[in-house]
Amino acid sequence: PVLLEMSDNLMDSLMGSISGETKADFIEWRQQMKGKPIADGKAFLAKRLEDEHQSVVQDYGEAHWHETVVGTDLHYDATNGFYFNTDTIMLVEVPVKNPWEIFLYIPVGGWNECPEAEYHMAVAKYWYETYGATVAYISCDAIGYTVPQPVTGDTMKLAEEQFAYCPDAVYQGYDNLATLAAVMKDSTVWHFWWD
């Protein structure tokens, strides 16, 4: 089951992510995706983190990365609920065996910094196997995961992965990695929004 925040923009996002306009295009895309091996989600996130780090250092210097992007904990509240922008929410049962396969039926992404559906699937598989995270809701520009319990221990690696997946989790959300890492210790919902 997954909650869908229904809108015309969601439908446009779904069709745009597969470069098609018809049901036949979607079925063909899904069959192609089923025949491909799932990418390495951990490696995908590591590459995106390195690219973002290099971009920040090139534009602003290494000190900016440590002082502003990594930063210090600003003591934000945990996230344990969903926040929707519309009243039209549907609970959909997706016919998949594994929770990360949801993106074979709901292929969002592939625009701006939002990963393509195949990489959402790779990350979802990696996070499910590592943290027990499952996709709980999808909109045209957001994806939410739930975890059975907050992550314990050193959560900076998880904050870096979430930042790599969705830089706006820091830039327009928690302000820095230290705050995001601290919030993860009490959060059961992970929210990602791509501008």
Side-chain angles (χ1 to χ4, degrees), residues 52-72 163 170-171 175-177:
E52 188 66 26
H53 177 254
Q54 287 180 2
S55 177
V56 168
V57 169
Q58 181 179 350
D59 291 346
Y60 305 105
E62 188 70 40
H64 180 85
W65 175 266
H66 291 289
E67 293 167 11
T68 305
V69 178
V70 175
T72 58
F163 173 64
V170 166
Y171 294 143
D175 292 318
N176 62 51
L177 288 169

Side-chain angles (χ1 to χ4, degrees), residues 1-32:
V2 65
L3 294 168
L4 294 183
E5 189 171 348
M6 300 304 295
S7 68
D8 290 341
N9 289 339
L10 174 62
M11 302 315 289
D12 291 343
S13 179
L14 296 178
M15 295 314 290
S17 66
I18 64 167
S19 300
E21 296 183 7
T22 67
K23 183 177 179 180
D25 292 335
F26 171 70
I27 291 169
E28 180 182 345
W29 174 85
R30 189 174 66 219
Q31 287 306 112
Q32 289 174 353

